[in-house]
């Protein structure tokens, strides 16, 4: 299996959201947006207001509801997490990893932060 096949297989198990869908879910309090982009991208492009920033290498430790290093927002395995990367590739693999931790509602944002911004959704300036 190559990475393209892995990505396709991974995405088949996710209920991925468009930027407007993710925005609506976050606004309704039905989803936690989690920005996994590295610092240079956040500094270059800005942030999604209200998103929890957790770099990819810390994601599982911060979102495991039973973990000793969990973020305060990681309250339950039923939490709907929408992972956001820059363009929507790494976020799919990250969301699948969260599924392995029991976060069965974890998913990602189609097109990542770039799609969010292209839809004119709120972004705080870097």
């Amino acid at each position: 299996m190559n990475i393209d096949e892995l990505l396709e297989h991974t995405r088949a198990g996710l209920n991925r959201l468009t930027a407007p869908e993710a925005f609506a879910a976050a606004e309704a309090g039905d989803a936690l947006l989690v920005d996994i982009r590295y610092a240079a991208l956040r500094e270059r492009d800005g942030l999604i207001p209200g998103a929890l920033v957790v770099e990819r290498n810390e994601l599982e430790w911060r979102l495991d509801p039973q973990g000793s290093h969990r973020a305060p927002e990681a309250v339950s395995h039923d939490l709907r997490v929408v992972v956001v990367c820059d363009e929507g590739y790494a976020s799919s693999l990250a969301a699948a990893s969260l599924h392995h931790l029991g976060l069965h509602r974890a998913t990602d944002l189609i097109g990542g932060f770039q799609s969010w911004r292209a839809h004119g959704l709120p972004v705080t300036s870097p």
Side-chain angles (χ1 to χ4, degrees):
M1 179 178 293
N2 65 35
I3 187 61
D4 294 327
E5 293 167 334
L6 175 62
L7 195 57
E8 182 180 341
H9 175 73
T10 298
R11 287 177 171 170
L14 300 174
N15 182 18
R16 302 181 77 216
L17 299 180
T18 65
E21 290 169 337
F23 175 75
E27 285 290 298
D30 185 41
L32 173 65
L33 302 179
V34 179
D35 187 343
I36 64 168
R37 295 175 299 143
Y38 53 89
L41 290 176
R42 296 190 312 269
E43 291 167 6
R44 182 189 76 189
D45 294 336
L47 298 168
I48 296 172
L52 176 65
V53 175
V54 179
E55 290 199 22
R56 175 63 189 99
N57 63 327
E58 298 178 356
L59 184 68
E60 291 82 358
W61 284 268
R62 303 288 286 145
L63 291 180
D64 180 358
Q66 298 174 346
S68 59
H69 299 306
R70 74 173 183 82
E73 295 87 349
V75 295
S76 128
H77 285 98
D78 197 42
L79 180 66
R80 186 178 189 195
V81 174
V82 180
V83 182
V84 180
C85 68
D86 194 48
E87 295 181 343
Y89 295 96
S91 57
S92 296
L93 299 175
S97 180
L98 294 177
H99 274 242
H100 290 295
L101 283 176
L103 291 153
H104 61 99
R105 297 179 69 204
T107 190
D108 74 321
L109 175 61
I110 299 168
F113 180 86
Q114 297 307 322
S115 176
W116 181 277
R117 186 169 59 180
H119 278 89
L121 296 170
V123 173
T124 58
S125 298

